[in-house]
Amino acid sequence: MVSHVRTVLRAGLPVLALVILLAQASPALGASVAGKKTIVVTYSLLGAIVRDLVGDQAVVIVSMPNGQDPHEWEPSAKDIETINRANLVVQNGLGLEGGMEKTLHQAKAAGVKFFTASDHIQVRRVGRGEGIPTGDPDQAVGAKDPHLWMDPTVMKTVELALAVRLKADLGIDVSDRARDLATRLDSLDQETAHTVAQVPPANRRLVTGHESMGYFAQRYGFRLVGAIIPSLTSQAQVSAAELAALKKLIQKNQVQAIFTELGTSPAVAQAIGKETGVRVVELTTHSLPEDGSYFTFVRNLGSVITGALK
Ligand SMILES: [Zn+2]
């Protein structure tokens, strides 16, 4: 929608038509007139949880368009302005927002209030024997994993901590909604555990586009065998030697499926699948489904993984 508005702006519509168009395009503009506080969230999955938490008590704007790779997306001048004017910025941290880092750092230095989700959780670190050892610091044992949304109980910790901050910093009381959301996230966790219980223990081995499934694996008893891009970010380089090592790991571990995701080269994934005789399955790991629900996102994750590995 935003890019559509920009296109129209360049085309030079009369001012009144533009105002109407902008008001329709962005409920955020209308709502801020009504005196509501504005919360800017960096990416879609965290944004969905923040929306569930605050309801209509604040305006929630998500910076990255859904479907963009959060590891690489860079904000426009307009996005930067929105961040600088926010009453609160909610970010993931741990380097997830690679292309936004400078903007976020500058906004913080200018006095914008921040809530960093990863400050409030038990951060997962890369363990020994996970994936392929490379020179990449985002793959080294002990590296901090930013993909915290892969575990609904971690998201529960985040939303409960955010509720406290909303009251303290913005004077917004969402305690009832926070409790309700926590209950629903616990149910989602139980439902996911129930779904993946269909996967035999011997098949609980994950090969993914990059090392994005650590929190899911930790919560639901899967092992990370390796990734096409052997890094916690989709932005790292991969060598022929690393791909050869991955093929060996896939065969040695009798992996049932290779999960590709945003930022994975389809050609490379298909080639590995062909050479190892393993099925390639698309998995949505960094964006929301069409209904915009984090709950649907996690359910899809559980059912796609279970369908491919059971
Ligand atoms: Zn990722």
Side-chain angles (χ1 to χ4, degrees):
M1 185 55 88
V2 171
S3 61
H4 170 68
V5 171
R6 272 194 216 115
T7 311
V8 176
L9 278 171
R10 277 198 292 270
L13 270 184
V15 172
L16 183 62
L18 253 183
V19 169
I20 292 165
L21 187 70
L22 283 169
Q24 285 168 344
S26 167
L29 290 178
S32 58
V33 172
K36 284 185 186 172
K37 301 264 168 55
T38 299
I39 302 167
V40 173
V41 189
T42 53
Y43 68 101
S44 63
L45 288 143
L46 187 55
I49 284 295
V50 175
R51 282 200 171 106
D52 280 351
L53 177 65
V54 304
D56 60 3
Q57 295 192 62
V59 177
V60 177
I61 299 171
V62 175
S63 292
M64 300 181 198
N66 188 39
Q68 299 287 313
D69 187 343
H71 296 287
E72 74 168 3
W73 185 82
E74 289 181 20
S76 70
K78 177 86 172 58
D79 300 317
I80 293 170
E81 195 188 323
T82 305
I83 288 165
N84 288 333
R85 286 184 179 179
N87 296 104
L88 181 70
V89 172
V90 178
Q91 65 175 357
N92 190 86
L94 302 179
L96 176 79
E97 295 99 339
M100 291 185 82
E101 217 119 276
K102 193 176 150 207
T103 297
L104 295 169
H105 184 77
Q106 285 172 347
K108 202 170 189 178
V112 177
K113 285 179 181 159
F114 270 74
F115 174 90
T116 303
S118 54
D119 285 352
H120 302 271
I121 66 157
Q122 186 153 14
V123 174
R124 194 194 83 88
R125 288 170 182 267
V126 172
R128 240 166 251 290
E130 263 177 33
I132 304 147
T134 69
D136 182 358
D138 279 327
Q139 170 63 13
V141 172
K144 294 175 178 177
D145 186 349
H147 300 88
L148 52 88
W149 63 90
M150 295 297 180
D151 176 348
T153 65
V154 172
M155 289 302 251
K156 180 181 88 167
T157 308
V158 169
E159 67 94 359
L160 289 171
L162 178 58
V164 173
R165 277 290 302 281
L166 288 176
K167 195 164 182 188
D169 284 9
L170 305 188
I172 298 171
D173 185 358
V174 290
S175 42
D176 287 350
R177 295 186 70 96
R179 270 193 300 274
D180 175 60
L181 185 52
T183 306
R184 290 196 292 132
L185 286 166
D186 277 336
S187 303
L188 179 65
D189 171 54
Q190 286 157 19
E191 188 188 324
T192 308
H194 184 75
T195 303
V196 303
Q198 297 170 63
V199 180
N203 289 2
R204 295 189 175 201
R205 292 164 181 170
L206 297 174
V207 171
T208 47
H210 63 286
E211 298 284 8
S212 63
M213 295 298 291
Y215 287 87
F216 184 94
Q218 176 179 271
R219 181 71 190 163
Y220 300 112
F222 286 74
R223 199 161 65 77
L224 303 175
V225 168
I228 295 169
I229 301 167
S231 175
L232 290 168
T233 166
S234 61
Q235 300 302 293
Q237 299 296 315
V238 55
S239 70
E242 285 155 10
L243 286 177
L246 178 64
K247 280 178 219 161
K248 274 191 190 148
L249 281 173
I250 288 170
Q251 281 158 340
K252 187 180 151 210
N253 288 281
Q254 297 180 316
V255 169
Q256 302 293 306
I258 299 163
F259 295 100
T260 63
E261 47 187 334
L262 209 62
T264 314
S265 156
V268 173
Q270 289 301 338
I272 295 171
K274 209 172 164 188
E275 285 171 48
T276 54
V278 174
R279 201 146 62 98
V280 176
V281 177
E282 227 175 279
L283 186 66
T284 304
T285 52
H286 291 64
S287 56
L288 286 169
E290 240 171 54
D291 68 357
S293 162
Y294 173 74
F295 290 79
T296 310
F297 166 81
V298 175
R299 283 188 190 110
N300 289 346
L301 213 55
S303 65
V304 171
I305 289 170
T306 303
L309 301 183
K310 74 178 177 187

